[in-house]
Amino acid sequence: MPKFAVFGLGYTGLRILDTLKKENTVLGISRLTQVEGSILLDLSDTEALENFRKENEGSQFDASLITFPAQKLENREQVFDTLFSVSKTVWMFGSTSIYQRITSDITEKTPLDPEHDRYETELRFLEKGGKILRLSGIYGPGRNPANWARKGSVRKTKRQLNLIHGDDISEAVRLLLSYPGNDLPSELILSDGQWHTWLEIFRFLEDHGKIQVLPEEKMDREDSFIDSSLIRKFLPGLQTKDFWGELEKLEELI
């Protein structure tokens, strides 16, 4: 049975841990959150991290996944070295916000923004042989895009909104970690591949009396569509949830 490690048990990490446990041996690692099948480990504690390495070097994980922003760790070099020493493969979540908005579509070939706070960390991770799955905006229960509109953190514009449901991330990770070949690219993008603008979302919420009617505004920044067709070539069975159906559920309209 494959053996995996999930580092970080936040919104996505917990879902992934639950999904992988159904068919695999999985260890969850978190600084604060402990559930069945997980341990507490502060990765910034260099001594504790070294002990973890010694304990797991003899029985390597088939794959490890970093679900949190690794660039925030001062000892990230030690963290990377540890994970690569105890894992055959190491994946890390990234964000599609790292791509430069210079074309209407964003793919894995789109240049990265060297000023992004993840840039240097991701380059170092890739140099060590890691693989990155860059995610669009994450939504789902507890992360309702409608609340972003209600709070005024987004504007009613024709700007494209690129999203991926938390459950779809878990399924994509399951498929990636069980992929039988060795030809997966080192960088992949994951989005739901659906076209929806903030203007459409605002109007949907207005029509259902969920928010007050607001005037349309001009776009305040560049717009791009996140193209996740590459990952679907490798994972043809990957399905993603219908955004409008999920929004209806989150708004308790069905």
Side-chain angles (χ1 to χ4, degrees), residues 43-96:
L43 294 179
S44 64
D45 184 332
T46 58
E47 183 176 349
L49 185 58
E50 175 61 15
N51 289 335
F52 175 82
R53 182 189 66 78
K54 292 177 180 178
E55 292 168 1
N56 291 278
E57 257 185 337
S59 55
Q60 281 198 327
F61 297 104
D62 291 283
S64 290
L65 171 66
I66 303 172
T67 69
F68 60 89
Q71 75 275 10
K72 295 183 179 180
L73 287 172
E74 292 185 3
N75 65 323
R76 53 188 173 275
E77 192 74 16
Q78 183 198 11
V79 171
F80 290 163
D81 287 343
T82 298
L83 267 60
F84 282 101
S85 71
V86 301
S87 311
K88 297 175 184 177
T89 305
V90 184
W91 283 87
M92 181 169 70
F93 282 160
S95 170
T96 54

Side-chain angles (χ1 to χ4, degrees), residues 10-17 19 93 133 135-143 163-174 190 192 238-241 246 250:
Y11 189 84
T12 57
L14 283 172
R15 284 169 168 76
I16 292 166
L17 181 65
T19 297
F93 282 160
L133 179 62
L135 306 174
S136 294
I138 302 170
Y139 82 102
R143 286 196 177 189
L163 293 172
I164 184 67
H165 195 283
D167 291 345
D168 294 335
I169 297 172
S170 298
E171 180 61 12
V173 168
R174 184 188 72 81
L190 181 61
D192 63 14
L238 177 63
Q239 300 291 321
T240 47
K241 296 181 182 294
E246 293 304 312
L250 292 172

Side-chain angles (χ1 to χ4, degrees), residues 9 35 99 106 153 168 213 215 245 250:
L9 299 180
V35 295
Y99 291 104
I106 288 178
S153 56
D168 294 335
V213 178
L250 292 172

Side-chain angles (χ1 to χ4, degrees), residues 2-250:
K3 182 180 179 182
F4 301 129
V6 178
F7 290 81
L9 299 180
Y11 189 84
T12 57
L14 283 172
R15 284 169 168 76
I16 292 166
L17 181 65
D18 288 340
T19 297
L20 294 178
K21 281 195 300 187
K22 297 174 183 177
E23 301 175 345
N24 310 278
T25 299
V26 190
L27 177 65
I29 298 99
S30 172
R31 182 172 61 91
L32 297 173
T33 303
Q34 186 165 24
V35 295
E36 183 181 352
S38 78
I39 62 170
L40 294 177
L41 174 64
D42 184 352
L43 294 179
S44 64
D45 184 332
T46 58
E47 183 176 349
L49 185 58
E50 175 61 15
N51 289 335
F52 175 82
R53 182 189 66 78
K54 292 177 180 178
E55 292 168 1
N56 291 278
E57 257 185 337
S59 55
Q60 281 198 327
F61 297 104
D62 291 283
S64 290
L65 171 66
I66 303 172
T67 69
F68 60 89
Q71 75 275 10
K72 295 183 179 180
L73 287 172
E74 292 185 3
N75 65 323
R76 53 188 173 275
E77 192 74 16
Q78 183 198 11
V79 171
F80 290 163
D81 287 343
T82 298
L83 267 60
F84 282 101
S85 71
V86 301
S87 311
K88 297 175 184 177
T89 305
V90 184
W91 283 87
M92 181 169 70
F93 282 160
S95 170
T96 54
S97 64
I98 198 172
Y99 291 104
Q100 296 183 37
R101 265 53 180 177
I102 55 178
T103 59
S104 58
D105 290 348
I106 288 178
T107 71
E108 287 81 356
K109 294 182 180 180
T110 302
L112 304 180
D113 177 6
E115 299 301 318
H116 198 281
D117 66 344
R118 295 177 183 261
Y119 183 79
E120 294 295 337
T121 299
E122 288 196 0
L123 286 187
R124 186 63 180 143
F125 180 75
L126 289 169
E127 288 173 356
K128 287 181 174 291
K131 295 181 181 293
I132 297 176
L133 179 62
R134 296 199 177 96
L135 306 174
S136 294
I138 302 170
Y139 82 102
R143 286 196 177 189
N144 184 354
N147 289 334
W148 309 338
R150 276 188 276 267
K151 293 175 182 177
S153 56
V154 293
R155 303 297 180 187
K156 186 179 178 180
T157 72
K158 291 187 175 71
R159 187 170 183 271
Q160 163 71 19
L161 176 61
N162 300 287
L163 293 172
I164 184 67
H165 195 283
D167 291 345
D168 294 335
I169 297 172
S170 298
E171 180 61 12
V173 168
R174 184 188 72 81
L175 292 171
L176 284 172
L177 297 190
S178 61
Y179 184 77
N182 57 4
D183 56 341
L184 283 174
S186 58
E187 301 172 68
L188 287 169
I189 287 174
L190 181 61
S191 74
D192 63 14
Q194 299 170 41
W195 288 89
H196 28 58
T197 66
W198 276 116
L199 176 63
E200 294 170 314
I201 294 169
F202 269 78
R203 286 179 174 170
F204 172 88
L205 296 171
E206 292 166 354
D207 290 346
H208 286 88
K210 292 292 186 174
I211 61 173
Q212 65 178 1
V213 178
L214 297 170
E216 180 183 347
E217 299 183 32
K218 292 183 179 180
M219 285 173 48
D220 57 349
R221 48 181 168 164
E222 292 300 318
D223 186 31
S224 293
F225 176 72
I226 304 297
D227 182 350
S228 62
S229 58
L230 181 59
I231 192 173
R232 296 168 194 275
K233 291 180 180 178
F234 289 93
L235 308 178
L238 177 63
Q239 300 291 321
T240 47
K241 296 181 182 294
D242 172 66
F243 170 73
W244 295 109
E246 293 304 312
L247 184 59
E248 287 182 339
K249 292 178 186 177
L250 292 172

